[in-house]
Amino acid sequence: MTLQPRSATLISRSPWDGSLVCEAAPADPPAVASALERLAQAFPAWSASHRLPARQAALERFSAVLSAARPEIVALLVREAGKCLLDAQAEADLLPRKIAISLGAGLARTPLSGDPLRFRPRGVAACLGPFNFPLHLLHGLVVPALAVGCTVLAKPSERLPALGGLYARLADAAGLGEVLQVVLGGAAVASQVVADGRVMSIAAVGGQAMGRALARLLAERPHASLALELGGVNQALVLDDADQALSVAAVAEGAWRMAGQRCTATRIVHVPRAQLAGLSAQLAAARGAWLPGTPEGQGGMMISAAAREAFQQAFRALPAGLTLRAGATDAAPGSCRAEPLLLAVEHHAARACALYREEQFGPMLIIDPYDDLEECVARMAANPYRLAAAVFSASRERFRACAERLPYGLVNWNRPTAGARSDLPFGGTGASGNGRPAALAAGAIFADETVIWE
């Protein structure tokens, strides 16, 4: 991510029908610099310890504004982000809930007063959001930063300028305009923000390339904190005693909900070889529920035709040892509709290919049979992108034995890999992050733990 010329216009079209949703100009360098200067000037007053009640009141106003705007938020998440109605409603409902959790359990985790330990806000924070949960994941960083006393520059995904503009308007309506600045733009805007010496904390959700670029930008500023959530190659393990119907339903949902555009989506499921034929047939049948259709269904659209084409192109010439069991990779040009893909490992050589080892951000699932459980768990543990895992078993003891050996950020029992709880920390290990979890733990990204020693 290096400084680049701003594109003339940010344009979004509905993934459902291609209709124009928004045209917006990205922030130019003077506008970004001005926003950062306003935030730097507002920080001393906003961060003062005696202002905590005022910060809480401001965020509670924001919660009320977000709740009142729920219909508008839901409609725009469907139209601009290509979400199904149920997923859009769920995301909208998370926004006020995040504020309540941050002001309660979140601040309890990062106390701003007391001896000998307390947390002190670091300064101006930058929060960079993704397109898949365009409000929830951005908001999930913004709110903890504001709660601990930082002022915040938020950059929503450039793919969804209308949603970014809506978030800015709602923040302004809550009276947060002096301490929360929202700027639209892509990599050039993000580069300018992160490189600015007034920014003391950066939290971002995206891919490996983004994480490396941000780290390079901060090479000369090691005192600036960087928190990254970089996706995962999330794996599920079905044990021989698992409830097959439950396992199939959970794996299918984890892989194909939201067209697979979730950082915690299930990419690989390991099954006993003796159950391969039966589970493959059941998963192939389960695909029907996740075919993209209308917003009232379950199967959402991919964010853009270009993203859909790049995703499907990767599966049109499969490497040796990997076969396509169900699904098609030939959507019409210009379409954002991607069928759920079910693939199978026919030979262990497939485990070395990029389709198996790297995150594929779309509706795909690889079923991989195992003969030796110990060897399978060891392979899962060696996965570099360890964000979320799932183990399916009728035995709590067997689940716990596997979970102890799976160094993932989240290990689920008899539920999908996908999803996370706002009242618990959220982050991955290995290449899935850099050891700075968000969700309940996000306050510590934006504040330093200090000691008052008498």
Side-chain angles (χ1 to χ4, degrees), residues 56 59-60 62-64 66-67 90-107 109-110 127 135-148 167 420-426 437-446:
Q56 292 173 318
L59 286 168
E60 287 166 355
F62 195 20
S63 179
L66 290 165
S67 295
E91 181 163 355
D93 289 340
L94 286 170
L95 304 180
R97 192 179 311 160
K98 179 62 185 181
I99 292 175
I101 290 172
S102 296
L103 294 179
L107 284 179
R109 189 181 175 97
T110 51
C127 299
L135 296 182
H136 168 54
L137 290 179
L138 179 68
H139 183 73
L141 298 170
V142 166
V143 170
L146 290 172
V148 300
Y167 191 69
R421 287 172 50 176
S422 295
D423 60 348
L424 290 173
F426 177 74
L440 187 64
I445 295 170
F446 307 105

Side-chain angles (χ1 to χ4, degrees), residues 260-278:
Q261 297 171 123
R262 293 193 286 183
C263 57
T264 52
T266 308
R267 309 299 180 191
I268 301 169
V269 57
H270 303 271
V271 305
R273 189 173 298 277
Q275 298 179 9
L276 175 62

Side-chain angles (χ1 to χ4, degrees), residues 361-396:
F361 213 63
M364 56 78 68
L365 174 67
I366 297 173
I367 186 167
D368 188 356
Y370 65 86
D371 298 294
D372 183 287
L373 178 60
E374 294 299 308
E375 185 268 342
C376 180
V377 172
R379 279 193 288 107
M380 291 177 66
N383 167 27
Y385 297 90
R386 300 185 302 273
L387 182 56
V391 178
F392 296 88
S393 173
S395 165
R396 182 187 297 269

Side-chain angles (χ1 to χ4, degrees), residues 78-241:
V78 171
R79 186 175 178 221
E80 188 176 42
K83 289 183 179 278
C84 290
L85 182 60
L86 289 176
D87 291 330
Q89 291 170 337
E91 181 163 355
D93 289 340
L94 286 170
L95 304 180
R97 192 179 311 160
K98 179 62 185 181
I99 292 175
I101 290 172
S102 296
L103 294 179
L107 284 179
R109 189 181 175 97
T110 51
L112 303 175
S113 61
D115 299 330
L117 300 176
R118 69 178 67 176
F119 284 80
R120 295 186 180 182
R122 306 197 85 240
V124 178
C127 299
L128 312 180
F131 73 82
N132 57 337
F133 288 94
L135 296 182
H136 168 54
L137 290 179
L138 179 68
H139 183 73
L141 298 170
V142 166
V143 170
L146 290 172
V148 300
C150 293
T151 52
V152 179
L153 187 140
K155 193 200 82 66
S157 170
E158 65 274 19
R159 297 174 183 261
L160 305 169
L163 281 161
L166 175 60
Y167 191 69
R169 293 195 301 274
L170 296 177
D172 286 345
L176 290 170
E178 291 302 310
V179 296
L180 171 56
Q181 298 280 311
V182 179
V183 296
L184 301 181
V189 170
S191 296
Q192 180 183 350
V193 171
V194 172
D196 195 290
R198 288 166 290 201
V199 175
M200 297 304 299
S201 302
I202 301 96
V205 180
Q208 277 291 312
M210 178 207 71
R212 290 191 294 269
L214 294 179
R216 285 194 296 269
L217 283 171
L218 290 171
E220 300 301 319
R221 291 205 297 132
H223 54 283
S225 68
L226 175 63
L228 298 170
E229 196 272 273
L230 300 175
V233 180
N234 310 295
Q235 305 193 15
L237 172 62
V238 179
L239 301 189
D240 55 13
D241 66 341

Side-chain angles (χ1 to χ4, degrees), residues 232-315:
V233 180
N234 310 295
Q235 305 193 15
L237 172 62
V238 179
L239 301 189
D240 55 13
D241 66 341
D243 180 317
Q244 289 198 4
L246 181 153
S247 302
V248 166
V251 170
E253 178 180 348
W256 298 322
R257 192 181 192 110
M258 281 180 51
Q261 297 171 123
R262 293 193 286 183
C263 57
T264 52
T266 308
R267 309 299 180 191
I268 301 169
V269 57
H270 303 271
V271 305
R273 189 173 298 277
Q275 298 179 9
L276 175 62
L279 289 172
S280 294
Q282 293 178 59
L283 283 166
R287 290 178 57 257
W290 302 102
L291 289 168
T294 67
E296 289 70 33
Q298 290 190 119
M301 305 294 273
M302 293 197 68
I303 190 63
S304 69
R308 188 274 310 156
E309 173 59 23
F311 166 73
Q312 289 188 333
Q313 177 65 34
F315 291 92

